[in-house]
Amino acid sequence: MTGYILKRLLSAVPVLLGITVIVFLIMALIPGDPALAILGAYATPENVAKINRDLGLDAPLVARYFIWLGNMLTGDFGTSFSLNRPVIDEVLDRFSATLLLAGTSFLLCTLLGIAAGVISAAKQYGWADKGITFAVLLGISIPSFFLGMMMILIFAVELRWFPVSGMKMAYGGGGFADVANHLVMPAFALAVVATGVVARLSRSAMLEVLRQDFIRTARAKGVREGRVVWGHALRAAMVGIIPVLGIQAGFVLSGAVYIEMVFQWPGVGRMLVDAILKRDILLVQGGVVFVAACYVLFNIAVDVAQSLLDPRIKT
Amino acid sequence: MQFLTLLMRNRLAAAGGIVLSLVVLLALVTPLLPLANPDVTDTANRFLMPGAQGHLLGTDHLGRDLLARLLHGTRLSLAVGFAAAFFAAFFGAAIGIIAGYFGGRTDNLIMRGVDMLMAFPYILLALAIVAALGPGLTNALIAVAAVNIPFFARNIRGVTVGLAHKEFVDAARLAGLGHTRIILTEILPNVIPVIVIAMSTTIGWMILETAGLSFLGLGSQPPQADLGSMLGEARGALITNPHTSIVPGAMILVIVMGINLLGDGVRDALDPRLRSGALTRPMPATRVERKGTIPDQGDGEAVLSLRQLQTQFHVKNRIYKAVGGVDLKVAPGECLGVIGESGSGKSVTALSVMGLVASPPGVITGGAVYFQGEDLVGAPYEHLRSLRGDKVAYIFQDPLATLHPLYKVGDQLIEAIRVHHPVGRSEARARAVALLKQVRIPNAESRIDSYPHEMSGGMRQRVGIAMALANDPEVIIADEPTTALDVTVQAQILSLLDELRRERGLAIVFITHDFGVVAQLCDRVAVMYAGRIVETGPTEAVLNAPAHPYTSRLIACVPELGGGRRRLEAIPGLPPAVDRLEPGCAFAPRCLKASAACREGDIALEGPGMRAVRCIHPEAELEEGVA
Amino acid sequence: MSTVLKLDGLTKSFPVGKRLLGKPRGVVHAVQPVDLEVQQGETLGIVGESGCGKSTLARMLVGLLPPTGGSIEINGAPLDNADPAEFGKKIQYVFQDPISSLNPRKTIRQVMEAPLKRLHGMTRAARDKRIAEIFASVNLREEFLERYPHEFSGGQAQRIGIARALAAEARILILDEPVSALDVSVQAQVLNLLADLKAELGLTYLFISHDLAVVEAVSDRVAVLYFGSVVEVGRAEDIFRAPRHPYTKLLANSAPVVGRALTAPEGRETELPDPLNPPSGCAFRARCPHATELCAREVPQLSGEDHRAACHHPLDQSGAIETEVSSQG
């Protein structure tokens, strides 16, 4: 198993390099002088000189890539000119907030989605199935940012159950209760779409598995129906569900960008949007590379989970 | 045409289609409608409520007419969403087909690139593209299309790989077709439904995504507005003037919901598996809708006795009479062979005993199944379950498909024991090892921890047999247990079964299509055709002097080893479809002896003692056979 | 009689566990060097159990799989599939699964037209005429031409597959398990049709099957494959009646036959050797009751005149072991 994990980690190296190449190339699309493009409104002569020195911007494209890569490998993602702060510090601060939000949502969508999908499949064409199918359809059709706004209107403004914003964590204060209280609405709003997708997929994976011959074998042995569904069938269906959970984590992370805007959540998504609007290219670059790298590592964990579940995967 | 009928039959899809058509129509005629200019500001009349004079939906924070902005925004959002979906599908499909068809290095290279792109949470890629190109609707469109290309490419590649290895592609190659022609005429027509399904299920998503980028201020730029940027601008006044947010938000919801409903309908109508209704989950026990009187048990000696059993498949408005009144019985220690071709109903008969016929579409519609004197048709599920595997056990055909792929064989055996007997794990494990030894699996102590895929076909079937033996059942029903095996392995398994039944006095119902197997293993045999038994009797008597023309001609058309090169006795025609059975003998259309009487009325299964035949012109006079 | 198909040292190996760089982890020799000759107008049966390499062999013969080594000669010329249009006219293939060998989105007419158009460049009128002729010869009604594959039963679909192979007008047909997907009552119809066509058109067949009785009934000569090698080849009426290789004898004794008592021909619960780690010498020796130290040391070669077997201790006509030990081919 350790060998397998090491192997997977090793195989992530080219993917991570690929990510940096793609990000670098996209940024190289920006027309005009790279120093001016990167600095945008902050193109003071001192800044131009500094950035040309740091990033070797007068060098050819390939050399520039390796300078940039080398800097990142030593933990230097450059300086954000709009915030006047090292990019890596800002990204780390913001990413922890995003991780809290997206992580909670991911857990919610996994648990709720799989449960809903299994129930829906086991009670196919029953009332539970119809209800879940409709809720799922609604969930995947509503824009998460609109849902978030409606939740603010209903639960914060009308019912006053939860605060609109103003979480103290962002300013270094606030206890667990404060965080939890502010987390409920955005986490749910973010989880809705992903839950729908997971539920749909789990339902069809379960329907597929429940028709298999080995389910008939389990029934012919006299295994109780509850165990047939939640044991034999779900176990086999998870082989199809787990890889999608990996992709789904990317969707949750993506959706977090909108939710952070709506709920004023101090996460990395809001940081990126602000950075784009202020044309703080280094902050965008650093943020994208960092988050993508974390996502790659998460997907390795997903692969490892899959290999634990399925003995047919050679480890 | 068939596609449209199917689509319209799906009420939800039809509703989605109608809503979507209305929205699209509205968007198309928007420029012709007498609307206010959507971009003219009128700060004096800001935040008018819906229903205000001249502003049906009110005005926004700059006093612009919301209705006009909504319709123009819808137009823009739809156009961008559809365009993005089209580009993503076109390029994704092209990449996917090329990678999947050519395979090898081309595939490897392309798919590594695609994997690289999919290693990003997609919005990061979109944000990076927008960051480079600058905010704007066209750039948002490019970003959304670009990040979706990998999804299409991967999906289409998977389908293409499957198709490229299909035999009809090989056949086309041998018919002289080149690569381009094979891709265009053999692959593409089979991929297009998949592309359409993928598109119809992702257009909604694309609309949401472009709206999302606009919402963030990275898409359409003022004064031009799509639905997303309308929402984005309204966000500041969410609490004071919620209607400015609700109007565009609700519109997005309506559009995307309509598209999703329609998309699901399109998928269901195009997916052949869904069309045949195959994607339904079989219930824990076969549905029972018994009509008519319940026949009595008949012979008292039998441990298992089927009386006038009828099982049907109800698919849409067709009724397939898979089992049309079957009488069978098996006594302790006896081996009964049931022989027939595919579609003869032999397997359905076997599965009906313990209510294991997949339902839907299976329904037991008549007759009775007596096990130790008790009728099991319509018995409560919990009772049926307590008998399954304990008193009546099954061995199935393909041991790779019938064992759970993710559980160790030992755990599957232990489960079979512990379901019916409350013994501890270690005791159950010891029993499982003993069972594996009984079915002559070498190194049983270590093999118990193997997964099914680590064993050969013959070893897996031994596990299947061990599982059936786990609780010392009264009856074992073996449904073609050696059909999937090689002939040398089949011989091993058959002799094992024969030994076990003699050692343990098991009653076996053995389903097969092979006369050789029946001859070697079974005491008695029943021959099935089109859902009914046409002849039965002691094996030797039936094989030596078949009375039903079907039996005799079936025996004649199977070549037997040692006969040398020769012409075979073929039976003309095809077995009948069991949803359109004519009155009289089902074999009459293929029978040389058929007379007018054969085609009318029910012909009884009659004969002396253990011999019986369902024929008015039998090949031989029946003699009372002795088992 | 002339030799129309000649295989000389034909081999196929597949790399297993490919790596990005460097050598694969292992190599499976699906087909070991195979030498066979097929005469004009003959039916050569090839029989073997799953995994013996019979389908791999067949796919190589029609150019769907490139061989790793050895050569294939058709009518004296080496196999050359550079020009698919020329190649398709020499040799054709009938598939095991009749339904999946027809494109589900093409009508039968479109399926039938492809070889006529691509291989023979026929005009529309000529094609229609030819299709009508072929359909008559395989007993199919012309009204089937406008239908789609899913509307046919297995037996009908297999006739269509045969009709398509005939349309190419190749003289050699490779029949890869052509009846194993069919029910027995339909199987005989198709086998008889194949026999009729052969007599009528002077075709040469390579008939591949796992069913000994079927192979015996249709073939002039039979080759028995085990673990990628031909272990015995001889006349159909002799090979199972008086096998010389112990494996052939095992096969013949395993086939369930009416009137023969059930005995396990093999006492031990034996399995096929591991293809990734093949045994030395004779691949069958672990299952063979007559195996000696010689069998472990040396790979036996095919020997004999008319009825050849690759065995160090071949059985004589009565089934006993010959005393003479032949160690080379």
Side-chain angles (χ1 to χ4, degrees):
Chain A
M1 185 42 66
T2 330
Y4 179 69
I5 295 174
L6 278 177
K7 212 171 73 188
R8 290 295 292 116
L9 281 175
L10 213 62
S11 74
V13 172
V15 177
L16 290 171
L17 282 177
I19 284 176
T20 57
V21 170
I22 291 170
V23 172
F24 181 79
L25 286 180
I26 291 176
M27 292 307 158
L29 285 176
I30 303 171
D33 179 62
L36 292 180
I38 288 175
L39 291 169
Y42 304 90
T44 58
E46 305 91 82
N47 280 346
V48 170
K50 175 174 158 42
I51 203 163
N52 272 332
R53 194 174 63 238
D54 288 356
L55 299 179
L57 289 182
D58 23 24
L61 201 65
V62 179
R64 261 162 63 195
Y65 169 72
F66 282 106
I67 292 170
W68 178 62
L69 185 69
N71 287 348
M72 277 196 303
L73 288 178
T74 58
D76 175 15
F77 281 60
T79 307
S80 158
F81 289 94
S82 66
L83 301 168
N84 207 6
R85 185 176 184 211
V87 165
I88 187 70
D89 295 357
E90 178 71 7
V91 169
L92 283 174
D93 280 358
R94 297 294 202 110
F95 188 65
S96 57
T98 297
L99 207 57
L100 177 66
L101 172 66
T104 314
S105 284
F106 181 71
L107 280 181
L108 275 176
C109 84
T110 305
L111 296 177
L112 292 179
I114 291 176
V118 172
I119 292 170
S120 202
K123 308 276 176 209
Q124 195 187 14
Y125 303 135
W127 283 110
D129 183 29
K130 284 180 181 150
I132 289 172
T133 307
F134 183 74
V136 161
L137 186 76
L138 202 64
I140 59 171
S141 302
I142 197 164
S144 57
F145 39 94
F146 180 55
L147 178 69
M149 287 160 72
M150 291 303 106
M151 283 173 85
I152 289 176
L153 265 186
I154 296 168
F155 297 110
V157 178
E158 286 297 319
L159 299 172
R160 297 187 176 279
W161 287 357
F162 301 105
V164 176
S165 60
M167 187 171 69
K168 297 187 185 72
M169 184 189 81
Y171 317 102
F176 174 76
D178 176 63
V179 172
N181 212 15
H182 283 91
L183 186 60
V184 173
M185 282 206 300
F188 265 97
L190 180 53
V192 162
V193 180
T195 306
V197 176
V198 173
R200 266 187 160 206
L201 179 94
S202 307
R203 179 178 185 267
S204 62
M206 283 294 288
L207 285 179
E208 189 71 42
V209 167
L210 280 167
R211 291 162 44 225
Q212 301 288 321
D213 285 351
F214 58 80
I215 294 298
R216 190 183 59 192
T217 308
R219 285 174 171 164
K221 283 199 291 192
V223 175
R224 285 181 179 78
E225 192 57 19
R227 202 178 134 64
V228 170
V229 171
W230 292 94
H232 290 242
L234 181 56
R235 174 94 181 238
M238 283 308 283
V239 172
I241 296 172
I242 283 186
V244 175
L245 288 180
I247 298 174
Q248 218 45 46
F251 278 65
V252 170
L253 219 47
S254 299
V257 176
Y258 307 125
I259 295 298
E260 286 173 7
M261 292 301 280
V262 173
F263 288 92
Q264 305 289 312
W265 191 269
V268 77
R270 232 176 95 204
M271 177 201 87
L272 283 174
V273 174
D274 289 344
I276 292 172
L277 292 173
K278 289 178 188 154
R279 303 208 58 74
D280 189 343
I281 298 299
L282 284 182
L283 190 55
V284 177
Q285 249 183 355
V288 168
V289 169
F290 182 85
V291 178
C294 292
Y295 179 59
V296 168
L297 293 180
F298 176 79
N299 268 309
I300 291 176
V302 170
D303 284 352
V304 171
Q306 180 82 334
S307 75
L308 287 175
L309 179 83
D310 189 345
R312 290 168 296 183
I313 295 174
K314 286 210 185 84
T315 55
Chain B
M1 225 35 246
Q2 194 200 1
F3 164 71
L4 279 181
T5 349
L6 276 168
L7 193 58
M8 283 303 123
R9 203 181 291 154
N10 183 337
R11 263 177 298 161
L12 282 175
I18 290 167
V19 169
L20 190 65
S21 321
L22 281 178
V23 174
V24 170
L25 196 71
L26 213 54
L28 286 176
V29 301
T30 297
L32 309 175
L33 295 179
L35 291 169
N37 185 330
D39 297 333
V40 169
T41 59
D42 177 9
T43 39
N45 285 322
R46 46 204 292 261
F47 292 130
L48 286 183
M49 289 303 285
Q53 181 76 44
H55 299 289
L56 198 56
L57 292 178
T59 56
D60 71 358
H61 61 292
L62 294 175
R64 296 174 292 195
D65 182 53
L66 264 180
L67 179 64
R69 286 182 72 73
L70 179 74
L71 291 181
H72 282 278
T74 304
R75 218 173 128 78
L76 208 55
S77 281
L78 281 176
V80 171
F82 278 100
F86 175 78
F87 285 122
F90 182 81
F91 290 108
I95 292 171
I97 289 176
I98 289 171
Y101 177 75
F102 288 102
R105 195 155 293 171
T106 320
D107 182 32
N108 217 326
L109 215 64
I110 292 180
M111 290 324 286
R112 266 170 206 252
V114 166
D115 284 346
M116 219 72 99
L117 290 175
M118 288 183 83
F120 287 92
Y122 72 92
I123 206 166
L124 289 186
L125 205 54
L127 287 180
I129 293 172
V130 172
L133 302 179
L137 196 54
T138 322
N139 295 343
L141 190 159
I142 292 172
V144 170
V147 300
N148 278 290
I149 287 176
F151 289 88
F152 275 93
R154 188 179 255 202
N155 190 348
I156 301 298
R157 175 197 169 264
V159 178
T160 310
V161 167
L163 286 168
H165 291 102
K166 277 273 165 64
E167 297 181 331
F168 65 78
V169 174
D170 288 339
R173 216 161 276 158
L174 291 171
L177 271 66
H179 288 312
T180 320
R181 227 178 266 279
I182 289 180
I183 289 181
L184 291 179
T185 66
E186 304 288 329
I187 305 275
L188 195 59
N190 286 290
V191 174
I192 278 180
V194 183
I195 299 176
V196 171
I197 291 172
M199 257 182 89
S200 64
T201 46
T202 45
I203 287 183
W205 178 247
M206 307 256 189
I207 290 181
L208 283 183
E209 281 318 299
T210 34
L213 287 178
S214 290
F215 172 79
L216 297 176
L218 306 175
S220 74
Q221 299 297 311
Q224 185 196 44
D226 70 353
L227 295 173
S229 57
M230 281 178 74
L231 251 180
E233 288 168 16
R235 192 162 65 88
L238 171 67
I239 294 168
T240 50
N241 288 285
H243 73 276
T244 52
S245 303
I246 292 174
V247 165
M251 187 52 136
I252 299 179
L253 179 61
V254 166
I255 293 174
V256 177
M257 191 123 169
I259 290 176
N260 283 340
L261 281 172
L262 187 65
D264 287 359
V266 168
R267 187 197 59 202
D268 290 359
L270 284 179
D271 193 328
R273 282 184 319 168
L274 293 167
R275 198 185 301 173
S276 61
L279 244 189
T280 51
R281 151 209 70 105
M283 296 194 297
T286 311
R287 197 151 65 88
V288 174
E289 266 178 29
R290 190 154 51 170
K291 297 177 198 92
T293 54
I294 300 168
D296 64 16
Q297 191 189 348
D299 183 7
E301 274 173 45
V303 56
L304 181 71
S305 164
L306 278 57
R307 299 280 290 147
Q308 285 304 308
L309 183 72
Q310 293 183 29
T311 305
Q312 304 179 339
F313 292 107
H314 294 182
V315 181
K316 293 198 182 118
N317 39 25
R318 288 212 171 146
I319 293 179
Y320 296 83
K321 294 179 181 164
V323 180
V326 161
D327 291 272
L328 281 178
K329 58 176 193 283
V330 60
E334 188 185 33
C335 180
L336 168 73
V338 180
I339 193 162
E341 297 180 83
S342 56
S344 65
K346 56 188 192 304
S347 287
V348 181
T349 305
L351 293 172
S352 298
V353 172
M354 282 286 123
L356 288 171
V357 179
S359 180
V363 188
I364 296 177
T365 52
V369 173
Y370 289 99
F371 173 72
Q372 293 181 332
E374 176 197 10
D375 183 14
L376 296 180
V377 173
Y381 163 71
E382 191 50 38
H383 182 58
L384 213 51
R385 187 192 69 72
S386 72
L387 294 176
R388 285 177 181 177
D390 193 26
K391 302 289 180 204
V392 180
Y394 281 86
I395 304 170
F396 295 109
Q397 185 183 121
D398 176 2
L400 183 59
T402 52
L403 293 175
H404 196 295
L406 307 181
Y407 291 128
K408 292 173 180 167
V409 295
D411 290 339
Q412 304 192 43
L413 274 169
I414 291 169
E415 183 184 40
I417 297 166
R418 302 222 310 168
V419 162
H420 297 291
H421 296 98
V423 294
R425 256 200 87 82
S426 57
E427 194 192 332
R429 191 180 160 90
R431 265 208 234 175
V433 172
L435 282 166
L436 291 179
K437 285 181 177 159
Q438 277 173 34
V439 295
R440 324 266 191 276
I441 288 185
N443 309 325
E445 286 86 355
S446 63
R447 284 296 208 160
I448 191 168
D449 289 318
S450 303
Y451 288 97
H453 70 276
E454 297 167 337
M455 302 181 125
S456 68
M459 287 299 147
R460 280 195 288 262
Q461 194 57 296
R462 285 167 198 270
V463 172
I465 295 171
M467 211 142 78
L469 294 173
N471 297 302
D472 258 321
E474 308 290 325
V475 181
I476 286 188
I477 298 174
D479 186 3
E480 303 232 23
T482 59
T483 304
L485 303 176
D486 274 324
V487 57
T488 53
V489 182
Q490 165 170 294
Q492 296 170 10
I493 296 289
L494 288 178
S495 74
L496 171 70
L497 271 175
D498 197 45
E499 273 175 57
L500 288 170
R501 93 172 169 103
R502 288 183 203 286
E503 275 167 26
R504 299 185 166 216
L506 282 169
I508 296 185
V509 179
F510 196 95
I511 317 287
T512 180
H513 66 273
D514 190 329
F515 278 108
V517 172
V518 165
Q520 291 186 324
L521 193 68
C522 301
D523 306 313
R524 280 192 305 122
V525 62
V527 183
M528 284 189 75
Y529 188 74
R532 309 193 79 176
I533 291 176
V534 295
E535 178 164 10
T536 177
T539 308
E540 238 171 88
V542 172
L543 292 181
N544 291 339
H548 199 285
Y550 173 66
T551 318
S552 78
R553 302 199 56 182
L554 191 61
I555 293 174
C557 76
V558 184
E560 209 170 273
L561 197 60
R565 181 145 181 233
R566 64 201 175 275
R567 194 169 176 81
L568 301 165
E569 295 294 327
I571 308 178
L574 295 171
V578 288
D579 60 332
R580 296 185 297 263
L581 286 177
E582 303 287 331
C585 175
F587 188 63
R590 304 173 75 185
C591 185
L592 298 173
K593 297 172 127 188
S595 62
C598 295
R599 298 175 211 274
E600 41 191 70
D602 196 57
I603 298 157
L605 181 68
E606 288 173 325
M610 299 172 87
R611 282 290 267 143
V613 63
R614 194 188 292 280
C615 182
I616 36 187
H617 307 294
E619 306 264 306
E621 210 42 48
L622 289 188
E623 287 172 26
E624 190 164 339
V626 184
Chain C
M1 278 209 292
S2 59
T3 303
V4 289
L5 188 62
K6 185 168 184 232
L7 320 184
D8 196 5
L10 193 64
T11 58
K12 179 74 198 178
S13 46
F14 296 103
V16 177
K18 266 192 202 164
R19 298 179 202 188
L20 196 58
L21 298 169
K23 283 186 182 169
R25 235 162 279 162
V27 177
V28 170
H29 297 280
V31 175
Q32 314 267 14
V34 164
D35 306 306
L36 278 176
E37 284 182 13
V38 188
Q39 308 299 323
Q40 166 66 39
E42 181 187 40
T43 299
L44 174 69
I46 293 193
V47 71
E49 297 182 278
S50 53
C52 72
K54 53 189 191 299
S55 280
T56 310
L57 181 66
R59 292 174 60 81
M60 283 194 286
L61 293 182
V62 288
L64 291 173
L65 209 60
T68 313
S71 68
I72 303 169
E73 277 179 25
I74 299 175
N75 294 324
L79 178 143
D80 171 22
N81 60 347
D83 180 4
E86 271 311 302
F87 180 67
K89 283 193 266 186
K90 292 188 178 140
I91 191 161
Q92 278 291 332
Y93 193 82
V94 175
F95 294 87
Q96 172 172 9
D97 182 348
I99 302 279
S100 82
S101 73
L102 302 172
N103 188 339
R105 296 192 183 266
K106 279 187 164 180
T107 63
I108 303 307
R109 182 181 294 282
Q110 287 172 306
V111 169
M112 287 297 298
E113 281 193 326
L116 297 176
K117 222 187 311 190
R118 301 286 148 228
L119 299 176
H120 296 284
M122 286 187 179
T123 61
R124 166 115 219 187
R127 291 201 300 261
D128 287 351
K129 187 163 160 280
R130 183 81 187 109
I131 289 173
E133 282 171 26
I134 297 170
F135 260 48
S137 68
V138 297
N139 302 327
L140 284 170
R141 278 173 288 173
E142 274 184 68
E143 64 189 66
F144 288 174
L145 284 169
E146 311 311 323
R147 300 202 195 155
Y148 286 90
H150 68 263
E151 299 173 55
F152 295 98
S153 70
Q156 288 167 330
Q158 195 57 293
R159 281 166 199 272
I160 295 168
I162 293 169
R164 171 177 53 195
L166 292 179
E169 288 185 40
R171 312 315 299 168
I172 310 170
L173 289 195
I174 310 291
L175 305 154
D176 186 3
E177 301 259 9
V179 296
S180 58
L182 309 179
D183 264 318
V184 279
S185 74
V186 180
Q187 183 175 312
Q189 295 171 9
V190 173
L191 291 175
N192 286 341
L193 171 69
L194 285 170
D196 293 343
L197 289 171
K198 187 183 147 187
E200 215 172 286
L201 304 170
L203 301 173
T204 304
Y205 288 163
L206 200 81
F207 190 102
I208 296 168
S209 177
H210 69 279
D211 189 326
L212 310 186
V214 164
V215 165
E216 188 196 52
V218 302
S219 307
D220 299 298
R221 286 191 306 138
V222 175
V224 179
L225 240 58
Y226 182 73
F227 206 63
S229 307
V230 175
V231 295
E232 183 163 4
V233 55
R235 295 198 309 157
E237 54 267 42
D238 298 335
I239 195 155
F240 298 122
R241 186 181 50 77
R244 289 174 64 78
H245 196 287
Y247 174 65
T248 315
K249 185 178 162 71
L250 171 67
L251 273 181
N253 288 350
S254 299
V257 172
V258 178
R260 186 164 73 197
L262 186 61
T263 48
E266 267 180 305
R268 284 163 291 176
E269 277 65 37
T270 44
E271 295 179 32
L272 280 173
D274 179 4
L276 270 176
N277 188 15
S280 65
C282 175
F284 187 64
R285 67 183 161 83
R287 300 170 74 177
C288 183
H290 314 304
T292 61
E293 175 266 342
L294 172 66
C295 305
R297 206 174 57 224
E298 243 174 87
V299 180
Q301 303 296 321
L302 276 178
S303 64
E305 276 303 306
D306 200 24
H307 186 160
R308 300 190 295 159
C311 182
H312 293 303
H313 313 294
L315 311 165
D316 68 12
Q317 303 294 310
S318 62
I321 320 170
E322 273 181 25
T323 41
E324 178 209 356
V325 174
S326 59
S327 60
Q328 48 204 347

